[in-house]
Amino acid sequence: MGVTDRVWGALTSMIKLEDKVNRQAEAMKAQQQKIEDLTGRVIRLEAQLELLTSAAMVNRLKGE
């Protein structure tokens, strides 16, 4: 009975561990998606800033 209990305990521990790994993988995928979304936002903000600074330079050169 002792060996059977230890084998059963090991199997249940492996199943629990696999579940934890799967949940962590899903959490990492969600975090990666958030990072990619934020990266896209930063790129758009950089582009807007560059356009605005270029427009300000043009206005300054025109003397407006």
Side-chain angles (χ1 to χ4, degrees):
M1 198 65 144
V3 173
T4 305
D5 288 339
R6 280 190 267 153
V7 169
W8 183 254
L11 287 173
T12 55
S13 293
M14 284 177 46
I15 292 170
K16 289 177 184 177
L17 182 60
E18 181 184 9
D19 182 53
K20 287 180 183 178
V21 169
N22 287 337
R23 281 188 276 135
Q24 284 294 324
E26 290 299 318
M28 283 179 51
K29 285 180 188 176
Q31 288 290 60
Q32 183 64 33
Q33 185 60 47
K34 288 179 183 177
I35 290 169
E36 290 173 6
D37 291 344
L38 288 172
T39 301
R41 291 180 66 189
V42 168
I43 289 169
R44 288 191 298 275
L45 286 171
E46 286 177 337
Q48 287 179 356
L49 178 63
E50 193 172 316
L51 287 172
L52 289 171
T53 54
S54 297
M57 288 294 242
V58 168
N59 284 341
R60 190 177 288 174
L61 290 175
K62 286 182 180 179
E64 293 180 6

